Amino acid sequence: MYQTMDYQQKLAEKLTILNERGDGVLIRMNYIKKVRENRKIYKANGLFNRNKELDFHLICLRLGSFVRICTCVQLLHNTNIYLRVNTVYQLFTDHVYELLNTIDACQCFFDIAINFDFTKNYLDLIITYTSVIITLSRIDDKKALVGMFNCAHEMTNGSSDPSYPRLGQMFVEYEHPWKKLTEEFGPHTRSVTAALLSLRMVYPRRNLPAEQWRSAQLLSLLSAPAAMLDPACCDTMACEYLSMEVMERWIIIGFLLCHSSLNTNQASQELWKMALQSGLFLVLTRDEVLNIHKVSEDLFVSIKGYSKRVADIKECREHAILNSGAMHRERRHFLRGAMKELFKILEDEPGLLGPKALFVFMALSFSRDEVLWLVRHSENMPKIKTPEDYIDNQMAELMFHMEKLRGLMTKYNHVVQRYHVQYLAQFDALVLNDTIQNIYVCPEEESVLMTSFVSTLSALSIKQVENKEEFDFRALRLDWLRLQAYTSVNKAPLPIKEYPDLAKVMNLIQFHTRMVDSVEELLQDTSELSILGYYPRVFEKMFSQSSEEMTMKRYLMAFPAVCSHFSQCGHPLCPEETEAMEKRSLHLCVTFLEQIAKQTSSVVLEICAEQCNLNDQLQAKHCAEAISAARHRKQKKPVPKKGEVQKEKPGAESLRKDRAVVTNVDKMHLMLTELCSCYSLCSDFIVFDHIVVPTEFLLSHLEIRLSEIIVRMANYNQTTQEIARPSDLLAGLRAYTASLHSLSSYINVDITRLVKNILLQQTQPLDSRGGQTITTIYTNWYLESLLRQASNSIIVHCPTMQCFVNQATDNEPSFRAEEFSDVLELQALAELIGPYGLKFLSENLMWHITSQVSELKKLVIENMDVLVQMRNNFDNPEEMANLKKRLTGGENVLKRMTIIGVILSFRSMAQDNLKDVLKKHCPYLIGPMECLRDFISPETDIKVTLSVFELASAAGLTCDIDPALVAAIRSMQTDNTSLDEEYKLSCLLLVYIAVSLPTLALDPNSFYSREHGGHNNNIHCLATAINQLAAAMFTVQNKNIEQHLKEFLLLASSTLLQLGQNVEKMESKNRDSIYLLLHGIVEESPFLNQDMLESCFPYVLLRNAYREVYRSYIVTLG
């Protein structure tokens, strides 16, 4: 009988398999319940409404057979999942019922301190079975679902489903689940009670108030310094980190099922009351809870003779409401300090993780119990006078230290492994061997198992750890479970209750083997907080409460890190739940990280803004008052007016009379330190196969915010056309960048990469989010404000100072042009928007040039006949005079060419400053470019020439032919015009310009200003326009540029010489200034020289013109 009941029943194997399968069934049942409660999913699954059976029969009656069959097939598909689960549930309950009866028949011995695994698996199976029954009873419309499936199955297959009658009977029997369960577990009362009573030495010791924990110095390694290196061990190793929530579930549900012992056994009653006083709710699975007092009271009220137990329940409920919240609050307070101390010691001396590993798992298990208690009670908070007991705004600290301890165990796993391999081989194996030798009677099967234990442990070597071999002691632990089952049955030849020393040694060995091969699994058992994924509202509320506390900001990273636990709670029997949990986990994780990054970036940028303001106070523009005060220092100071506040000098904010005075900057740096400390938890973690890097969220937020700030710092007002000077923006940006780099001293982030990404985006028309950049803003401003006014001669190009200046007018100018166009400002602009930004600026400038060229071509076409005759008769003064009278629009041509010249002059200034900036930043890159540009000769192929010039132009180098202008002119060509026609228009345009030059002498603003080095109406820009436009047009048409510019020079000289022969004073008033324009055209041209000019225009006229212009200039000596 013993052999049959012991070896062949395979109690250990069945307990293991049924517990694993029961977890899957329970999770699946809970998922179905949630689906049924969620109407959206319910409808999406294609199910009918509450009157589904009636609706289904009506459909079947009214539809034809084919449609009816299709409907049935669809219905079978939709409800099959529910029936399959119910079938698995039916098989599970049958096997559990059979196994429980077998265990009762064997009269098994249960004691959590001796046969821990056997007792734990037995109690877990009872609780899982009960939870499955209770969860099934909570599913809405379960009868209708199974009924629909059976009806569809019958209509499709011609017979009802075989499992339907049994399922229907079970649903009827378990209509009132607790009543049925108590009847069912009546025969198992002895075994269940014995197992539960074995907790009376474990549970009361764990369920102590924080004051007793503190007085006993629980979890402290410093309480006994002399024993710090001693291994932490006891007779009940696994019980020390057993979850208190699990024990309470065993006790309360176990005594509900076998309640008769409460009236007959005082120890049972005391254990039951203690569990009832600990809280108000127990978790069945996920977020399904059991209101323990209400369920117990409802059950016992209906049973005769239990009035005292009902009174006990009410008393325990009142005690729990009044005291449990405060008790658990104090426990959390104690654990925060104890966990911090434990982590600091172990982090400093990781070698202690070997002997003191038990302390780590105890601390994690205790903390997890408190977190789970608060979560389930916060979601179902009772109406009490002290709700603050159920709110913990310091939960982040406890979870943070849990994560740090988990990380420490994972990081130094090799230390723990090395220690325990030696412990197993050199101590445990010897102790076990001695214990076995003291056993008088040892059957063959048990002897084989124990001998294998000793041989397995004795074979361990430290070299296996050094060689990084994989350890697997699962077989040994399963054999120990088998041995517990063999020796726990009644009348066993080797009763384990008579050999407690063997049990203690094996329980110790089991713990040590887990330290070698399954530390991760043990960490999951003691510290995973996946339950938070099923309470997202509570989870988010905890984060919000913790983020409001300054001292908790350094621990906020624990919340997203906990989301990595959620992937561990899935089960193969319910893959749909895993998919839903993945989405929820990622959403929560991203939400927390975004909030942390948002807070951190806000503080960082506030500090940067403060530093930018301090830096701005040191700018030269603010020193005028200081200089004025220094000049009049010897004078008697005037008495300050009453109420007048004297301006503080820069640096005054650093002077303090008392260090205790905290400034706003101090507070921001303190907050930044706290927030940055939370990033030290981990550099990355994994959430459902997604690698999450917290610092990337911070960098992303900083990138977005800083991009917005840079644009905002430009102070661009489209209505008033106000904008910040590029040098001011650059100074502010440098202050921000310098302050941002200090972030690297807090967190390991690449600020250089961040700044480069941001500034590179600012060189593009739009940033990565489609927003405006400073490139677009400054391009629009220079085109719409500065160049537009320069086109109307309100602003003058000043070659002497290499900038634009305002003309003296009656109206006050909206801005000073030199403050936005001098060398310093344009260099700052080049620093800000770089080569890419200047290329975008050039493209916009070219668009305006091409629009002017289009208008010029129209004017040429209108006067084509006259221009052809003038080109052929330029050496005939009389004929030219007659033709000139027929020519119209000459002033318009010169005006448009002047506009082109102004635009090209501005572009040339910007390019020169870009070259200077690039020479400073990358001189070894600019040098080879200059050599390559100088290597180009007129004989070089035009395609090669343009490619080289495009490269050089991108770096700001000046080229004989502007590749951007060539590309713009080429883009103007259409299919309607031939190259010959374009060539003719280009030639006639030069003729048009040449013969129109004398009309400039009539404009009083054509006077040459020695101060500016140009003309007051910007006609000196014609030199740039004529040279570059001609070069571009004839390059596109593949013609000789020099030849056509010589022709232009000949025509222009001829017409200007005729101007010199005119004796009328009015027409010749600005003749000398116009002569200088001709000289300027030759000076700026890479294709013309002075010899060519002198061959057609006497040098003496130029000399006299310079003398006359400079003679009229009044020099003021100061």
Side-chain angles (χ1 to χ4, degrees):
M1 179 65 183
Y2 163 70
Q3 294 292 330
T4 303
M5 296 300 292
D6 187 2
Y7 302 136
Q8 297 180 9
Q9 292 299 333
K10 298 187 181 299
L11 301 180
E13 291 85 344
K14 290 180 179 179
L15 280 172
T16 303
I17 294 172
L18 285 177
N19 268 314
E20 192 278 334
R21 179 54 59 93
D23 289 339
V25 173
L26 180 58
I27 291 170
R28 188 73 198 179
M29 287 290 184
N30 180 69
Y31 177 74
I32 292 174
K33 179 180 180 297
K34 298 303 177 186
V35 169
R36 298 288 297 163
E37 290 174 353
N38 190 333
R39 288 299 159 190
K40 292 182 180 178
I41 302 178
Y42 178 68
K43 292 178 181 178
N45 283 343
L47 300 176
F48 300 98
N49 56 20
R50 288 187 174 276
N51 296 322
K52 53 186 72 64
E53 290 191 21
L54 178 60
D55 294 342
F56 177 72
H57 284 295
L58 291 174
I59 291 172
C60 292
L61 289 172
R62 295 180 182 179
L63 297 179
S65 60
F66 175 75
V67 177
R68 186 163 63 244
I69 292 173
C70 293
T71 305
C72 293
V73 171
Q74 180 65 29
L75 188 61
L76 278 172
H77 173 74
N78 290 333
T79 56
N80 187 38
I81 182 174
Y82 300 100
L83 188 79
R84 281 192 288 110
V85 173
N86 286 324
T87 304
V88 172
Y89 155 76
Q90 180 180 335
L91 294 173
F92 169 72
T93 53
D94 289 345
H95 286 298
V96 170
Y97 187 79
E98 179 185 350
L99 179 59
L100 292 178
N101 287 334
T102 302
I103 290 174
D104 269 355
C106 293
Q107 299 181 15
C108 293
F109 165 76
F110 294 105
D111 191 331
I112 197 74
I114 297 178
N115 52 357
F116 174 84
D117 299 294
F118 191 53
T119 303
K120 181 180 182 298
N121 277 277
Y122 176 69
L123 291 174
D124 280 344
L125 182 63
I126 292 172
I127 301 307
T128 302
Y129 174 76
T130 305
S131 301
V132 168
I133 299 293
I134 299 302
T135 304
L136 177 64
S137 68
R138 295 182 178 184
I139 297 178
D140 295 335
D141 303 329
K142 52 184 175 294
K143 294 180 181 178
L145 278 171
V146 177
M148 287 172 61
F149 175 85
N150 184 65
C151 186
H153 187 281
E154 185 176 355
M155 297 186 68
T156 306
N157 301 315
S159 62
S160 62
D161 186 78
S163 61
Y164 176 69
R166 173 77 186 282
L167 278 175
Q169 182 63 30
M170 289 182 66
F171 287 164
V172 172
E173 290 178 354
Y174 288 98
E175 186 71 28
H176 302 287
W178 286 108
K179 182 179 179 181
K180 177 64 178 177
L181 284 170
T182 54
E183 295 174 0
E184 190 175 312
F185 273 86
H188 311 310
T189 299
R190 189 196 64 81
S191 298
V192 174
T193 302
L196 293 177
L197 287 177
S198 67
L199 294 171
R200 66 181 181 273
M201 297 301 296
V202 178
Y203 178 69
R205 189 172 75 244
R206 285 286 304 277
N207 192 15
L208 294 175
E211 291 79 8
Q212 294 188 33
W213 283 359
R214 193 172 287 108
S215 61
Q217 293 185 310
L218 186 69
L219 305 177
S220 176
L221 298 180
L222 302 177
S223 60
M228 188 171 287
L229 294 178
D230 295 345
C233 59
C234 63
D235 294 341
T236 55
M237 289 290 285
C239 295
E240 299 306 314
Y241 54 84
L242 180 62
S243 171
M244 195 162 68
E245 180 194 21
V246 171
M247 288 190 283
E248 289 174 352
R249 195 182 298 126
W250 289 346
I251 293 168
I252 292 173
I253 295 180
F255 282 125
L256 276 176
L257 299 177
C258 305
H259 50 77
S260 60
S261 63
L262 294 176
N263 286 337
T264 59
N265 193 319
Q266 184 64 27
S268 299
Q269 192 179 130
E270 292 174 356
L271 194 64
W272 174 65
K273 284 183 179 181
M274 187 180 296
L276 285 176
Q277 291 173 356
S278 182
L280 301 171
F281 298 94
L282 277 180
V283 174
L284 288 176
T285 181
R286 307 307 193 215
D287 57 341
E288 280 295 307
V289 295
L290 192 68
N291 189 330
I292 55 178
H293 300 96
K294 183 178 184 303
V295 169
S296 301
E297 186 176 353
D298 292 344
L299 176 63
F300 291 165
V301 163
S302 60
I303 304 176
K304 293 183 179 180
Y306 277 77
S307 57
K308 291 184 178 180
R309 302 291 79 79
V310 173
D312 291 339
I313 292 169
K314 292 179 179 180
E315 180 184 345
C316 292
R317 180 172 58 223
E318 292 301 321
H319 183 277
I321 291 175
L322 292 175
N323 302 311
S324 63
M327 183 180 69
H328 286 276
R329 183 193 64 212
E330 291 302 317
R331 283 183 185 173
R332 293 193 299 272
H333 178 68
F334 166 79
L335 286 171
R336 278 191 285 269
M339 293 276 284
K340 185 176 182 179
E341 176 190 308
L342 184 63
F343 169 73
K344 291 296 183 183
I345 294 172
L346 295 177
E347 183 186 35
D348 189 57
E349 294 292 342
L352 290 175
L353 284 169
K356 302 300 182 183
L358 179 62
F359 278 68
V360 175
F361 293 105
M362 287 172 61
L364 291 173
S365 180
F366 291 3
S367 302
R368 178 177 182 266
D369 283 335
E370 296 307 316
V371 173
L372 298 188
W373 187 94
L374 184 64
V375 168
R376 65 177 181 268
H377 284 80
S378 295
E379 182 71 7
N380 307 279
M381 189 189 304
K383 294 181 180 180
I384 56 177
K385 296 181 180 179
T386 56
E388 61 273 8
D389 291 340
Y390 296 86
I391 299 172
D392 193 348
N393 52 13
Q394 296 181 330
M395 182 57 72
E397 183 178 0
L398 186 59
M399 292 166 58
F400 185 86
H401 291 311
M402 289 179 68
E403 289 299 310
K404 293 292 273 187
L405 277 177
R406 283 170 60 98
L408 207 61
M409 286 296 295
T410 304
K411 180 179 179 181
Y412 294 106
N413 185 31
H414 62 283
V415 174
V416 178
Q417 195 177 58
R418 185 185 184 92
Y419 178 86
H420 285 94
V421 163
Q422 296 179 77
Y423 202 114
L424 286 166
Q426 299 173 17
F427 181 79
D428 288 339
L430 301 178
V431 173
L432 178 60
N433 188 52
D434 292 343
T435 305
I436 294 173
Q437 298 301 324
N438 293 329
I439 298 176
Y440 299 106
V441 179
C442 188
E444 182 180 357
E445 184 74 18
E446 286 83 343
S447 177
V448 170
L449 288 177
M450 288 189 285
T451 304
S452 70
F453 295 159
V454 175
S455 60
T456 301
L457 299 180
S458 301
L460 294 175
S461 169
I462 195 66
K463 291 183 179 180
Q464 292 176 280
V465 181
E466 293 172 352
N467 296 334
K468 297 182 179 180
E469 293 184 14
E470 292 291 333
F471 293 94
D472 189 355
F473 293 106
R474 288 179 296 177
L476 185 147
R477 290 192 289 270
L478 182 58
D479 283 343
W480 167 229
L481 178 58
R482 289 193 182 104
L483 184 60
Q484 292 177 57
Y486 298 162
T487 58
S488 296
V489 298
N490 188 32
K491 297 181 181 180
L494 180 65
I496 196 169
K497 60 184 176 182
E498 296 180 7
Y499 296 94
D501 291 340
L502 174 63
K504 293 173 185 177
V505 172
M506 283 306 302
N507 286 332
L508 184 64
I509 290 173
Q510 184 193 40
F511 176 76
H512 291 164
T513 58
R514 297 192 74 177
M515 291 297 97
V516 176
D517 70 337
S518 60
V519 170
E520 288 293 332
E521 181 182 344
L522 196 54
L523 285 174
Q524 179 180 344
D525 292 342
T526 55
S527 62
E528 64 93 14
L529 299 173
S530 58
I531 191 67
L532 290 168
Y534 299 93
Y535 292 93
R537 192 181 65 85
V538 174
F539 199 23
E540 291 174 343
K541 187 178 179 181
M542 284 181 176
F543 176 82
S544 177
Q545 291 167 348
S546 296
S547 62
E548 292 172 0
E549 292 287 327
M550 172 66 78
T551 56
M552 289 296 109
K553 291 186 183 295
R554 63 170 53 218
Y555 306 118
L556 290 178
M557 194 57 66
F559 287 92
V562 164
C563 295
S564 63
H565 300 190
F566 299 167
S567 60
Q568 301 169 357
C569 65
H571 198 279
L573 276 181
C574 191
E576 297 89 348
E577 186 196 46
T578 304
E579 296 173 5
M581 179 54 72
E582 179 177 359
K583 295 178 182 177
R584 189 184 308 159
S585 302
L586 290 172
H587 171 72
L588 288 169
C589 181
V590 169
T591 300
F592 295 148
L593 288 172
E594 291 282 355
Q595 290 295 323
I596 296 171
K598 184 179 179 180
Q599 291 186 39
T600 309
S601 62
S602 297
V603 176
V604 170
L605 295 175
E606 282 181 21
I607 294 174
C608 291
E610 188 66 27
Q611 293 297 324
C612 184
N613 292 335
L614 295 176
N615 181 75
D616 184 66
Q617 294 176 18
L618 299 175
Q619 296 297 317
K621 62 185 179 180
H622 297 300
C623 67
E625 295 180 10
I627 294 173
S628 177
R631 290 183 62 186
H632 300 87
R633 191 171 295 165
K634 294 182 180 180
Q635 298 179 1
K636 187 177 180 180
K637 294 182 179 180
V639 180
K641 297 179 181 179
K642 188 176 181 180
E644 182 180 355
V645 180
Q646 291 187 349
K647 186 177 181 181
E648 291 184 345
K649 292 182 179 180
E653 71 282 345
S654 299
L655 300 176
R656 308 191 195 191
K657 294 181 180 180
D658 186 0
R659 188 61 186 87
V661 176
V662 179
T663 64
N664 187 45
V665 177
D666 294 333
K667 294 177 182 177
M668 288 191 291
H669 275 287
L670 176 61
M671 185 178 294
L672 179 61
T673 304
E674 294 291 325
L675 284 168
C676 290
S677 297
C678 77
Y679 286 92
S680 65
L681 178 61
C682 54
S683 58
D684 58 72
F685 53 89
I686 298 176
V687 180
F688 281 97
D689 299 328
H690 296 267
I691 299 177
V692 180
V693 183
T695 52
E696 288 299 319
F697 286 82
L698 174 59
L699 291 175
S700 177
H701 265 269
L702 285 173
E703 180 179 324
I704 295 171
R705 292 285 303 279
L706 194 55
S707 297
E708 295 172 351
I709 288 172
I710 291 173
V711 173
R712 198 160 55 244
M713 285 170 64
N715 291 328
Y716 180 55
N717 189 325
Q718 195 169 3
T719 305
T720 61
Q721 287 299 310
E722 294 177 356
I723 199 170
R725 294 167 59 184
S727 60
D728 291 343
L729 177 57
L730 181 61
L733 186 55
R734 282 174 173 165
Y736 263 86
T737 304
S739 187
L740 268 177
H741 276 286
S742 66
L743 184 62
S744 299
S745 61
Y746 294 95
I747 317 175
N748 184 23
V749 290
D750 191 351
I751 296 298
T752 303
R753 176 172 66 93
L754 168 69
V755 174
K756 284 182 178 179
N757 287 343
I758 295 170
L759 295 183
L760 186 60
Q761 289 183 38
Q762 293 301 314
T763 65
Q764 305 299 317
L766 299 174
D767 61 17
S768 58
R769 297 172 295 106
Q772 272 196 336
T773 61
I774 55 175
T775 294
T776 305
I777 289 172
Y778 276 106
T779 297
N780 293 337
W781 186 87
Y782 277 104
L783 285 171
E784 299 299 327
S785 293
L786 190 140
L787 293 179
R788 185 178 293 277
Q789 294 189 38
S791 301
N792 297 324
S793 299
I794 300 173
I795 293 176
V796 181
H797 176 243
C798 181
T800 304
M801 296 188 291
Q802 297 185 19
C803 67
F804 285 85
V805 295
N806 294 88
Q807 287 270 42
T809 58
D810 297 335
N811 298 325
E812 182 71 21
S814 58
F815 63 92
R816 295 184 63 188
E818 59 270 26
E819 293 185 353
F820 292 88
S821 59
D822 63 5
V823 173
L824 180 64
E825 298 302 328
L826 291 182
Q827 282 186 355
L829 181 66
E831 290 266 14
L832 288 169
I833 67 176
Y836 285 117
L838 284 176
K839 181 182 179 183
F840 177 74
L841 175 61
S842 297
E843 290 172 354
N844 281 270
L845 294 176
M846 292 304 154
W847 182 86
H848 285 272
I849 290 174
T850 53
S851 64
Q852 297 296 334
V853 172
S854 298
E855 296 300 321
L856 288 172
K857 286 183 178 180
K858 292 178 182 178
L859 291 171
V860 171
I861 292 171
E862 290 176 4
N863 296 274
M864 185 174 292
D865 295 338
V866 177
L867 291 172
V868 170
Q869 295 179 47
M870 295 182 81
R871 184 184 185 189
N872 297 328
N873 298 288
F874 70 94
D875 54 350
N876 188 341
E878 293 80 7
E879 185 65 24
M880 288 291 288
N882 294 329
L883 291 172
K884 189 174 181 181
K885 294 177 182 178
R886 295 169 53 192
L887 190 66
T888 60
E891 293 181 357
N892 196 358
V893 169
L894 294 175
K895 178 66 176 174
R896 295 187 180 280
M897 284 300 295
T898 303
I899 293 174
I900 294 174
V902 168
I903 294 174
L904 291 174
S905 297
F906 173 76
R907 181 173 183 271
S908 177
M909 290 165 55
Q911 290 288 100
D912 290 341
N913 286 285
L914 173 63
K915 178 188 68 176
D916 295 339
V917 169
L918 291 180
K919 270 189 175 180
K920 181 175 67 175
H921 287 297
C922 45
Y924 300 106
L925 182 63
I926 299 300
M929 287 186 182
E930 289 179 331
C931 294
L932 188 61
R933 178 201 61 182
D934 297 339
F935 184 75
I936 296 296
S937 64
E939 292 78 21
T940 308
D941 182 75
I942 190 62
K943 291 184 179 180
V944 176
T945 300
L946 289 177
S947 298
V948 173
F949 283 174
E950 186 175 0
L951 172 65
S953 179
L957 301 178
T958 304
C959 303
D960 294 345
I961 303 171
D962 190 341
L965 188 55
V966 171
I969 296 297
R970 183 177 284 119
S971 66
M972 295 176 62
Q973 292 182 353
T974 61
D975 297 335
N976 298 329
T977 56
S978 63
L979 283 177
D980 293 337
E981 291 176 355
E982 290 291 334
Y983 171 62
K984 183 178 180 181
L985 290 175
S986 300
C987 294
L988 293 179
L989 176 59
L990 290 182
V991 173
Y992 206 162
I993 297 169
V995 299
S996 301
L997 287 177
T999 59
L1000 294 173
L1002 298 175
D1003 188 353
N1005 289 325
S1006 297
F1007 178 74
Y1008 182 86
S1009 170
R1010 178 187 171 187
E1011 179 188 6
H1012 294 159
H1015 301 78
N1016 289 337
N1017 57 358
N1018 285 325
I1019 60 172
H1020 58 278
C1021 296
L1022 283 171
T1024 303
I1026 292 168
N1027 282 301
Q1028 294 196 24
L1029 189 59
M1033 290 191 299
F1034 292 119
T1035 298
V1036 172
Q1037 293 146 19
N1038 202 18
K1039 301 296 180 181
N1040 191 297
I1041 302 170
E1042 182 178 336
Q1043 176 185 344
H1044 291 86
L1045 283 177
K1046 283 182 181 179
E1047 180 183 345
F1048 166 79
L1049 186 60
L1050 189 61
L1051 273 167
S1053 301
S1054 175
T1055 54
L1056 289 179
L1057 287 173
Q1058 293 174 19
L1059 178 65
Q1061 296 172 3
N1062 195 331
V1063 295
E1064 293 185 14
K1065 189 174 182 180
M1066 179 64 76
E1067 292 188 7
S1068 60
K1069 181 178 180 181
N1070 292 322
R1071 179 186 61 191
D1072 296 325
S1073 297
I1074 304 306
Y1075 287 169
L1076 297 186
L1077 174 60
L1078 186 63
H1079 181 253
I1081 293 173
V1082 177
E1083 281 283 323
E1084 290 197 17
S1085 176
F1087 305 100
L1088 301 176
N1089 54 47
Q1090 293 298 327
D1091 293 337
M1092 296 179 185
L1093 176 61
E1094 197 166 349
S1095 66
C1096 57
F1097 194 86
Y1099 182 74
V1100 65
L1101 293 178
L1102 289 175
R1103 185 181 60 198
N1104 291 337
Y1106 272 109
R1107 186 176 64 248
E1108 290 297 325
V1109 169
Y1110 277 77
R1111 180 187 298 170
S1112 61
Y1113 183 76
I1114 301 174
V1115 179
T1116 304
L1117 298 177

